[in-house]
Amino acid sequence: MEYSKAEINQLDQIFSLFSDAIITMENAGIHQWDEIYPDKEILAEDISKNQMFIGKEGNDIAVCFVLSEDCDEEYKNGNWQWPKAKFCVIHRLCVNPKFQNQGIATKTMEYIENFCRTAGYDSIRLDCFTENPYSQKLYDKAGYTVVGYANWRKGRFELREKKI
C-alpha cells in the first residue's frame, strides 16, 4: 500500500469511493453516512486543506482518511486520558468496498500511528459510530479506549483515544 496526500484531481474518484461505501454500509444496516455527510464539498475542503490521505493498491484508491488537529465542539464530552498531550484526530476513515476484509483498515491504522508519532504527536483521538460494529472492532483491536460520547445528527458516537 502506498500512502500519499490526496490531490484535487482525485476528488471524483474519492467521492465515488465514499458513495460506494455509503451504499455498502446502508445494506449492512449501518446508517452512519449519507448524501449530506460527507458530501463532495467536505471532501474537497479536506483535500484543499492538505489533510486528506489516500492509500493506493495499484491504480485504485483503497482507503481515504483525514488527519488534523481540528475536532468538533462535542469532543469536549471526552474524559481524555492525556488532556495536555499534543493530539491528532482521525476523521472520515473509509475503506473502498472493493478492498474490505483484506486488512486494509488495520494496516492503515498502523500507518497513521507511525505517521503521527513521527510528526511529534503524543496521542490520537477519533469518534466511532456506536452502530458500526466493524469500526468498533477495528479500534478495539488497535487499542483505542472509549473516553466519552457525542451525539450528532445520525446518532451516538464513541469518543476514543490512544497514546502513541
Side-chain angles (χ1 to χ4, degrees):
M1 176 89 54
E2 292 201 22
Y3 295 96
S4 63
K5 295 279 182 91
E7 298 177 11
I8 198 66
N9 64 351
Q10 297 168 314
L11 177 60
D12 288 339
Q13 191 178 2
I14 290 167
F15 182 68
S16 179
L17 183 156
F18 274 88
S19 298
D20 291 347
I22 289 168
I23 292 167
T24 300
M25 287 192 299
E26 283 291 323
N27 290 339
I30 301 169
H31 310 294
Q32 178 176 341
W33 290 339
D34 57 22
E35 71 283 351
I36 296 172
Y37 180 88
D39 65 10
K40 202 169 197 175
E41 185 177 319
I42 289 169
L43 301 175
E45 185 177 331
D46 291 337
I47 295 169
S48 70
K49 287 182 171 180
N50 210 27
Q51 297 175 338
M52 179 172 281
F53 292 75
I54 58 168
K56 291 185 85 172
E57 285 285 346
N59 292 326
D60 291 324
I61 298 176
V63 64
C64 298
F65 57 92
V66 171
L67 297 178
S68 76
E69 294 180 4
D70 302 328
C71 56
D72 291 321
E73 179 68 22
E74 287 80 0
Y75 270 55
K76 73 181 182 305
N77 297 329
N79 183 21
W80 303 105
Q81 298 171 326
W82 298 279
K84 305 252 190 254
K86 181 178 179 185
F87 64 89
C88 188
V89 182
I90 302 171
H91 299 282
R92 293 179 280 291
L93 174 63
C94 183
V95 176
N96 184 333
K98 290 182 1 184
F99 292 93
Q100 289 179 351
N101 303 310
Q102 297 177 29
I104 299 286
T106 299
K107 290 177 195 165
T108 299
M109 290 302 294
E110 292 168 3
Y111 171 82
I112 290 170
E113 290 177 14
N114 288 332
F115 178 90
C116 289
R117 193 177 298 110
T118 301
Y121 291 102
D122 303 309
S123 71
I124 297 175
R125 296 179 181 180
L126 56 88
D127 56 80
C128 177
F129 191 45
T130 57
E131 295 178 35
N132 187 334
Y134 305 105
S135 293
Q136 289 175 313
K137 182 179 175 184
L138 170 70
Y139 299 133
D140 284 343
K141 187 174 144 188
Y144 287 76
T145 304
V146 176
V147 297
Y149 295 90
N151 294 302
W152 283 292
R153 180 178 64 87
K154 297 298 273 188
R156 192 167 196 213
F157 288 74
E158 300 167 336
L159 300 174
R160 291 181 174 243
E161 179 180 38
K162 179 179 180 179
K163 185 149 175 72
I164 54 172

